[in-house]
């Protein structure tokens, strides 16, 4: 295959799938990673795509819209269940405290909280609150505010003010996008503000995100990678990005 043909095929893949990794492209086209990076650089200069850490995304990959809870729950359900199960490893011991962010992956963690320990749980998510409500050892605190129907999350000054008064052991945080350049991001500024407040309130920050979120960027940045202690994801993560996260002190857990 000529370089021009390979580059056209790469551009088609990025447009069709929303992202392509250097590692996967090198394997598919039987070329070196360096060759793929040169191809991506050429395609970026031509305006066909935008390079991100470990691969490339379409030029319009920064999103300002978002799907609702029902649509997102249908995406990658097996991965989200595994991530939720893996998160149990980071639940604090008996008597500990936990804040759980809104999201279709974080709700999987909420449903799997160990039932043999006492926990103080804060959340701004109606689905998370409903899941934790029957936990025999949980003291559940709902962070009130205006409910966004799209995500069923409470936002606004009320949850931010409440979180400023608390210090918790662990935060389970969801995100719509993760990149080295833009950090953690979400489409809605109000939700981003609550996420930032949760991170500021926690001694340990555990991000729960399937690999489709890696390499994606949304309008509102709410945290940098340096604020993340642990990322729980699936085996679709690009190995280069995983190594970079580890080098920056983020523990990467593959569920």
């Amino acid at each position: 295959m000529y370089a021009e043909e390979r580059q056209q095929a790469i551009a088609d893949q990025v447009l069709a799938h929303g992202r392509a990794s250097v590692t996967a492209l090198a394997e598919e086209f039987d070329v070196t990673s360096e060759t793929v990076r040169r191809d991506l650089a050429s395609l970026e200069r031509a305006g066909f795509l935008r390079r991100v850490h470990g691969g490339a995304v379409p030029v319009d990959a920064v999103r300002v819209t978002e799907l609702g809870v029902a649509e997102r729950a249908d995406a990658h359900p097996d991965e989200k269940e595994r991530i939720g199960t893996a998160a149990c490893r980071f639940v604090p011991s008996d008597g500990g405290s936990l804040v759980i962010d809104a999201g279709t992956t974080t709700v999987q963690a909420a449903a799997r909280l160990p039932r043999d320990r006492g926990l103080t749980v804060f959340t701004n998510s109606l689905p998370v609150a409903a899941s934790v409500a029957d936990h025999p050892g949980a003291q559940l605190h709902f962070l009130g505010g205006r409910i966004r129907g799209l995500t069923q999350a409470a936002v606004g000054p009320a949850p931010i003010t409440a979180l400023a008064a608390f210090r918790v052991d662990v935060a389970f945080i969801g995100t719509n996008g993760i990149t080295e350049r833009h950090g953690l991001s979400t489409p809605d500024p109000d939700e981003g503000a609550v996420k930032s407040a949760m991170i500021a309130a926690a001694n340990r920050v555990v991000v729960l995100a399937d690999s489709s979120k890696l390499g994606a960027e949304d309008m509102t940045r709410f945290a940098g990678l340096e604020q993340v202690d642990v990322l729980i994801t699936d085996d679709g993560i690009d190995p280069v990005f995983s190594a970079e996260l580890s080098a920056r002190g983020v523990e990467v857990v593959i569920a």
Side-chain angles (χ1 to χ4, degrees):
M1 179 180 289
Y2 292 110
E4 292 80 3
E5 295 174 314
R6 184 178 62 249
Q7 290 173 10
Q8 182 61 59
I10 289 172
D12 290 342
Q13 278 205 25
V14 171
L15 184 62
H17 301 291
R19 191 179 194 280
S21 74
V22 170
T23 302
L25 292 170
E27 291 179 358
E28 178 171 350
F29 295 105
D30 194 26
V31 295
T32 66
S33 297
E34 289 72 20
T35 296
V36 171
R37 291 191 180 94
R38 286 195 294 269
D39 287 341
L40 296 180
S42 297
L43 290 165
E44 184 176 49
R45 287 193 297 270
F48 289 109
L49 51 76
R50 179 167 56 82
R51 286 184 293 170
V52 296
H53 189 88
V57 296
V59 290
D60 60 351
V62 177
R63 300 167 297 189
V64 296
T65 59
E66 60 185 312
L67 299 175
V69 170
E71 294 89 344
R72 287 188 291 123
D74 290 336
H76 313 286
D78 294 339
E79 290 86 348
K80 290 176 180 178
E81 288 183 9
R82 293 199 302 271
I83 292 168
T85 299
C88 291
R89 167 183 161 192
F90 299 94
V91 174
S93 57
D94 190 55
S97 55
L98 179 68
V99 60
I100 304 179
D101 185 20
T104 54
T105 307
T106 52
V107 76
Q108 294 294 332
R112 292 164 173 77
L113 293 178
R115 300 177 74 83
D116 60 349
R117 69 188 71 174
L119 296 168
T120 300
V121 180
F122 300 88
T123 188
N124 70 324
S125 164
L126 291 175
V128 168
S131 179
V132 177
D134 69 345
H135 188 292
Q139 296 183 33
L140 175 62
H141 298 262
F142 186 75
L143 302 167
R146 175 177 64 86
I147 301 296
R148 293 190 71 220
L150 191 66
T151 59
Q152 299 179 30
V155 297
I160 294 171
T161 300
L163 286 162
F166 298 129
R167 194 69 181 167
V168 298
D169 294 309
V170 177
F172 284 167
I173 302 295
T175 186
N176 297 73
I178 308 175
T179 65
E180 184 180 13
R181 180 182 71 169
H182 195 48
L184 279 64
S185 57
T186 191
D188 185 73
D190 290 337
E191 290 220 26
V194 177
K195 291 173 184 288
S196 293
M198 288 180 171
I199 289 171
N203 289 329
R204 193 177 200 190
V205 175
V206 181
V207 175
L208 281 56
D210 68 79
S211 61
S212 70
K213 311 295 177 57
L214 311 184
E217 292 182 345
D218 286 275
M219 184 178 69
T220 303
R221 180 185 188 272
F222 64 86
L225 294 181
E226 71 278 359
Q227 295 172 272
V228 177
D229 296 297
V230 181
L231 169 66
I232 307 178
T233 188
D234 58 74
D235 59 7
I237 185 173
D238 186 291
V240 176
F241 188 42
S242 180
E244 176 63 28
L245 290 172
S246 298
R248 296 181 64 165
V250 179
E251 179 182 354
V252 179
V253 175
I254 306 300

